[in-house]
Amino acid sequence: MPSTDPRLPEQSLHRLLRNLPDRPAPRTLQHRVLAELERRAAEPSWRRSYASWPAWLRGAFVLGALLAAAVAAAGPARVLGEMALRIDSLSFARTVVRGMEGSARDIVAAIPATWLYAAAAAVAASYAILAGLGAAAYRAFAHSRHHLLSNA
Amino acid sequence: MKDAPSVQNQPAGLSQEADFATFMQNYQDMVFTCAARILADDAQAEDISQEVFVKAHAHFEMLSVSPSAGGWLKTVTTRLCLNHLQRYRRRWRFFSEFSRDDAGDDEPGVEFAAPDVFFDGMDGVDRREAVERALARLPENQRVPLVLFHFEDLSYEEIASRLGVSLSKVKTDIFRARSALARALAGLAGEPNPA
């Protein structure tokens, strides 16, 4: 018989839910975990996550990343130019990099601005159309199927 | 919280792998159940359970002697499940969440009778399965806060913080979840017993 105590719904439901026993885990779970642990243990160190790398390797990686960032910030051609003053063999690399930088700049400058805007608009429109079609397809098939299953 | 099983009492001489296998046997049902109730998807729950135990293996030295290993496992399971749902939700929000957030505000309240009334004539297994099924059919925005509140003992404030939603939304969603669950269970009471 329904109760008039406003706290009873919450209390009854809480009791009902808390009395539910645990569901048995799939029999495959333990095998999967042990297999995954074995797979990870067999992985070479360079394929493991950064957190599991040896300390010296993590330090070297950070130094390398900082160096690469510094070179990118200063400009590769400028850095190579500075180095070429000290090391003769790098003058050829400096020339190549400068040539590539100049070519890229010339190509971009030669393209009319209208074309660039039109290309950007085409990319944006394609993206919007693709997302719209995806949304429509999802709502037409997956979402309605989920609702049917939920209401079954 | 279920913290009773411990590997401390295992016979000496077992290798760490055997200890870990025993540890898993003790806790796998709890971890899987916790994940399955939050996610309402057994395959995803198994994936999350696997991830939890792989993490547990990395901390096994500490967990094997900790009296709160169960709590640690539940916390990690809950966190991984919520991360999983949030990743999934972000990915699909554009596709699936066109409906208004306040839809259903005018749902009528429901009178909630004592659980025994719902399950009159059902045995324990049918009863458990019926509740689990009703729980799994709740929409995610109702099921997750309900599970966190009733099974994981989180407060409304903690749930709001974990889910990144307002306190009032948590309260509303839990209220609606209880109503929906009560309706589902009341519907079961009206159905003939399948057994």
Side-chain angles (χ1 to χ4, degrees), chain B residues 3-4 23 55 65-67 94 111 119 121 166 169 173 185:
Chain B
D3 277 328
F23 177 83
K55 282 186 189 297
V65 292
S66 169
F94 181 77
E111 286 189 325
F119 303 117
S166 69
K169 176 159 172 56
D173 284 345
L185 297 178

Side-chain angles (χ1 to χ4, degrees), chain A residues 43 45-53 58:
Chain A
E43 262 186 353
S45 60
W46 56 269
R47 287 190 65 184
R48 292 182 195 168
S49 69
Y50 177 77
S52 60
W53 290 5
R58 279 190 283 178

Side-chain angles (χ1 to χ4, degrees), chain A residues 1-3 8-10 12-18 20-30 32-34 36-37 40 131-132 134-136 138-139 143 149-150 152, chain B residues 2 20-21 24-25 28-30 32-33 36-37 42 46-47 49-50 53-54 57 92 94-96 98 111-112 115 117 119 128 131-132 137 149-151 153 178 181 185:
Chain A
M1 182 180 171
S3 167
L8 187 60
E10 183 179 334
S12 297
L13 192 64
H14 187 71
R15 211 167 34 246
L16 173 70
L17 295 176
R18 291 306 289 256
L20 287 177
D22 283 345
R23 294 179 51 193
R27 290 181 177 198
T28 49
L29 177 60
Q30 189 163 2
R32 281 182 55 176
V33 171
L34 297 178
E36 176 65 13
L37 289 173
R40 291 190 184 194
Y138 177 81
R139 287 183 65 77
H143 201 48
L149 288 173
S150 302
Chain B
K2 184 183 165 185
F20 185 70
M24 263 200 78
Q25 278 163 10
Q28 64 180 359
D29 290 353
M30 183 198 77
F32 175 75
T33 303
R37 284 183 183 143
D42 285 4
E46 192 175 356
D47 290 345
S49 303
Q50 176 184 323
F53 281 111
V54 168
H57 186 265
W92 290 102
F94 181 77
F95 298 92
S96 57
F98 289 127
E111 286 189 325
F112 196 96
V117 174
F119 303 117
R128 181 183 69 75
V131 179
E132 294 281 7
R137 282 179 184 170
F149 185 83
H150 286 291
F151 289 103
D153 293 328
R178 287 189 192 121
L181 202 55
L185 297 178

Side-chain angles (χ1 to χ4, degrees), chain A:
Chain A
M1 182 180 171
S3 167
T4 53
D5 182 351
R7 288 171 308 172
L8 187 60
E10 183 179 334
Q11 290 167 354
S12 297
L13 192 64
H14 187 71
R15 211 167 34 246
L16 173 70
L17 295 176
R18 291 306 289 256
N19 285 338
L20 287 177
D22 283 345
R23 294 179 51 193
R27 290 181 177 198
T28 49
L29 177 60
Q30 189 163 2
H31 174 74
R32 281 182 55 176
V33 171
L34 297 178
E36 176 65 13
L37 289 173
E38 269 180 33
R39 190 191 66 78
R40 291 190 184 194
E43 262 186 353
S45 60
W46 56 269
R47 287 190 65 184
R48 292 182 195 168
S49 69
Y50 177 77
S52 60
W53 290 5
W56 66 266
L57 192 56
R58 279 190 283 178
F61 178 79
V62 169
L63 278 178
L66 288 174
L67 197 63
V71 169
R78 188 177 156 199
V79 172
L80 277 171
E82 292 288 328
M83 290 172 74
L85 293 175
R86 294 173 181 79
I87 308 168
D88 287 341
S89 58
L90 283 177
S91 58
F92 175 70
R94 183 189 63 170
T95 309
V96 170
V97 171
R98 276 194 172 163
M100 286 167 70
E101 277 185 353
S103 301
R105 210 175 294 124
D106 291 345
I107 289 170
V108 171
I111 300 172
T114 320
W115 284 35
L116 289 176
Y117 291 134
V123 168
S126 302
Y127 186 82
I129 290 169
L130 187 66
L133 286 175
Y138 177 81
R139 287 183 65 77
F141 301 112
H143 201 48
S144 57
R145 185 169 165 270
H146 175 72
H147 272 288
L148 284 175
L149 288 173
S150 302
N151 296 329

Side-chain angles (χ1 to χ4, degrees), chain B residues 8-146:
Chain B
Q8 285 176 286
N9 299 326
Q10 298 304 312
L14 285 179
S15 67
Q16 193 191 358
E17 286 71 27
D19 277 345
F20 185 70
T22 308
F23 177 83
M24 263 200 78
Q25 278 163 10
N26 286 338
Y27 288 110
Q28 64 180 359
D29 290 353
M30 183 198 77
V31 168
F32 175 75
T33 303
C34 178
R37 284 183 183 143
I38 294 175
L39 299 171
D41 183 307
D42 285 4
Q44 289 177 11
E46 192 175 356
D47 290 345
I48 294 289
S49 303
Q50 176 184 323
E51 210 176 325
V52 170
F53 281 111
V54 168
K55 282 186 189 297
H57 186 265
H59 298 90
F60 187 56
E61 207 172 315
M62 175 271 289
L63 290 173
S64 61
V65 292
S66 169
S68 57
W72 187 92
L73 288 168
K74 269 203 161 189
T75 304
V76 172
T77 307
T78 305
R79 186 167 53 79
L80 290 180
C81 287
L82 295 182
N83 288 348
H84 174 82
L85 286 174
Q86 275 161 3
R87 259 201 312 271
Y88 183 81
R89 197 182 305 146
R90 268 190 223 115
R91 196 177 301 159
W92 290 102
R93 176 168 290 168
F94 181 77
F95 298 92
S96 57
E97 294 189 3
F98 289 127
S99 57
R100 283 165 55 229
D101 194 42
D102 57 349
D105 267 347
D106 52 352
E107 281 180 9
V110 62
E111 286 189 325
F112 196 96
D116 287 345
V117 174
F118 295 140
F119 303 117
D120 200 22
M122 290 174 87
D123 67 20
V125 177
D126 287 341
R127 179 182 296 203
R128 181 183 69 75
E129 285 176 357
V131 179
E132 294 281 7
R133 255 198 323 272
L135 199 57
R137 282 179 184 170
L138 292 176
E140 181 190 307
N141 68 312
Q142 294 178 5
R143 184 185 67 254
V144 174
L146 184 86

